[in-house]
Amino acid sequence: MCIMDIGQYIKAKRELHNLTQVELAERAGVGIRFVRELENGKSTVRLDKVNQVLALFGEALYPSKIK
């Protein structure tokens, strides 16, 4: 099983859709710096902004209880 962090996942989705970081930032309504930091694994990011990016791919991230 391959485990990917959220930054790696978004980068893979961006590349799959042939988007540059700049294009992704513009379409998601976030800054290019946020996209770069997210893809580079910054340990603290805002969930609302992550979800703005994920919304472009019809997805969302939300907290869930651990069982």
Side-chain angles (χ1 to χ4, degrees):
M1 177 164 92
C2 176
I3 297 177
M4 205 181 272
D5 71 27
I6 190 66
Q8 293 169 327
Y9 181 78
I10 288 174
K11 181 178 181 178
K13 295 293 274 189
R14 175 179 63 76
E15 291 174 343
L16 181 67
H17 288 86
N18 297 312
L19 296 170
T20 66
Q21 287 181 330
V22 171
E23 290 169 332
L24 179 64
E26 288 173 352
R27 292 183 188 189
V30 299
I32 182 63
R33 180 177 172 183
F34 177 79
V35 171
R36 287 184 180 138
E37 289 176 346
L38 178 61
E39 288 189 1
N40 285 319
K42 183 178 179 192
S43 60
T44 57
V45 291
R46 289 183 40 188
L47 184 57
D48 62 327
K49 287 189 173 192
V50 171
N51 278 328
Q52 278 181 249
V53 174
L54 286 172
L56 290 174
F57 309 118
E59 300 176 21
L61 184 65
Y62 56 92
S64 148
K65 284 187 176 183
I66 298 175
K67 296 180 181 180

